[in-house]
Amino acid sequence: MELRVLEYFVAVSEHQTVSAAAESLFVTQPAVSRQITSLEKELGTALFSRTPAGMRLTPAGARFLPIAQDILWRSRTGTAVMRGLSDESVDLVIACPPTVLRYVVAPFLAERRVPVRDIREHPPEQVYREVQDRRADVAIGTLAPPASLERHRVLEIPLKAQGLDLFQGQGARAEQGPLARGGGPSGPVPRLGESVELSHLKGLPLLVSRGGSALRQTLSEASEQGGLALDLGDGVSSGTVAQALAAGGRGVAVVVEPPDFGLDSRRITRSGQPLMVRDWAAWDPAHYAAAEIRSLVGDLEEWCRGRFD
């Protein structure tokens, strides 16, 4: 059984079509089909059900998938270990959400020489699965990591309300949009310098990322603890979209990103304490380069300190 055949099998299981798997592997579709058929013949069982909707794992295929992933991971790990022994280096892959990549990990890599060869974007709820399935060496995420992984908190970022000035009838763009005049149903938002109490956002249309984000989770929990009924809406796809909509007078963006589109920005507090989102690093404690990962994470934590206050 060749490693290439296992790579084809894993790719088809992930993409659920032979054509998409072949494209991801930069090979032809017939080549993938032949290898899958050969693997099924060698194992003596069907690994996929061929349906109009695509390739679906059979119970045998689902059982074989973690075995194939483990074999491929061990092969890659062995190669990485031996190369590391020869030049005393490792090359790590980081999985993280797009916002974390843009504002944290990518700038960090641009300033520090660290043993990282790639960063891969995934939704917040997926990043730790990438480590568990051994497609990444370390994950940087905003949700709490699973107990099976070693974890370390690298960063706390304050939640910010952006676009409040449009609701106060102030500034050059105060006349933009119907929401820009007179404040929200709770009345005008008071000017409080660099912060605003969560209670003052009640009744305002808040632009918040969709379910699954730590930001939305933090805001919802603080709202429930404070006995507030905030208008979180259905959510938007990203902080950048929230900021753009806020700039157009569609609501108040609740984000962790730096202000954009000329928006004002205030920290959100509850009882005077800022609401924070935590970023975690997580990795397999049995990873061959666990010591290097801990060093990398410590370096990232030090780099982050004081940058996102």
Side-chain angles (χ1 to χ4, degrees), residues 1-9 35 38-39 42 64 71-72:
M1 185 182 301
E2 297 182 2
L3 293 175
R4 178 182 59 181
V5 179
L6 297 181
E7 290 176 348
Y8 289 4
F9 165 70
Q35 294 294 347
S38 173
L39 180 60
E42 181 177 355
F64 185 64
I71 293 172
L72 290 172

Side-chain angles (χ1 to χ4, degrees), residues 240-255:
T240 301
V241 173
Q243 290 172 320
L245 292 173
R250 299 283 296 276
V252 176
V254 179
V255 296

Side-chain angles (χ1 to χ4, degrees), residues 93-133:
V93 174
I94 295 176
C96 63
T99 299
V100 175
L101 187 155
R102 179 180 178 186
Y103 292 102
V104 180
V105 180
F108 168 66
L109 294 185
E111 293 186 19
R112 299 287 178 91
R113 186 175 180 85
V114 292
V116 173
R117 65 177 174 85
D118 196 14
I119 315 170
R120 298 174 185 173
E121 295 183 38
H122 297 280
E125 63 273 17
Q126 176 65 26
V127 294
Y128 303 125
R129 175 61 61 183
E130 293 299 299
V131 172
Q132 291 174 317
D133 290 345

